[in-house]
Amino acid sequence: MDHRKAFPGQRRFVALSSSVEGQITDLESLGLNLEPDRDPVVLVVDDVSTSQHLLASILRDRGYQVVVANNGPEALERVRATPPDLVLLDIEMPGMDGYEVCLRLKAEEATRDVPVVFITSKAGTEDVIRGFRCGGMDYVTKPFHPLELLARVHTHVTLKRTRDRERELFAALRESQGRVDALSDLLPICAKCRRVRSDGGYWQSVEDFLQEHAEVRLAHGLCPDCIGKGSDHP
């Protein structure tokens, strides 16, 4: 694909590349904390090498781990193998475009929760709406501003990791609840006198406990073993 699709003119690309360092320095002056947490992984999907390298450089400078893909099928393969924290996805690619890649990711259970941010020069209303309908979370237009790019990446990575932690906590809570339910079915009983402990912490005979907690009536008698031992029970 012609490099002009991503950056209208080589001069604009050179100017953008040379200004990246100064723009990123503005992060501190604006008081924005965009440092990633725990080295999140971002997959950059773009068939234009200059755009791909620039994106990867900006992200790596801020501590992100970057994986790249040159086309749609390669992107799907990488996400399926190891789901990243975010996909930066170019729309205009030969063969399988970004819309189709996003639709396929959202159709699979293992990859549907990976957020997708489109990187594109197509910023018309219809294009934006189509991207959202495909499952995209956000848009960054070319030529992009590094500060805006980092802010959007940080936001969606943070949201994704928050959702992941919520799912982990919920799973742990369900596991803990299952253990509590299992323990609640245990009835403490003295190994010597055979009395049981009630919910109020009182020790009482098995007979009394059953009469209080179960809809049963006890009928006293002798079992065959006791009869055979000549038990003195009435």
Side-chain angles (χ1 to χ4, degrees), residues 1-10 12-13 45-52 55 70-71 89-94 96-98 119-123 140-144:
M1 182 178 292
D2 193 337
H3 289 184
R4 288 176 296 178
K5 181 210 71 172
F7 300 100
Q10 186 65 22
R12 177 175 293 184
F13 173 73
V45 187
D46 201 320
D47 63 308
V48 180
S49 60
T50 49
S51 176
Q52 183 188 104
L55 286 165
N70 299 312
N71 52 59
L89 181 60
D90 184 30
I91 291 180
E92 298 173 274
M93 295 186 294
M96 185 185 300
D97 63 16
I119 302 288
T120 181
S121 58
K122 302 179 63 143
V140 175
T141 57
K142 296 178 180 179
F144 53 83

Side-chain angles (χ1 to χ4, degrees), residues 11 31 60 150 155 167 176 197:
R11 291 184 179 179
R60 288 189 177 116
L150 288 169
T155 296
R167 279 193 291 266
S176 298
R197 189 179 66 193

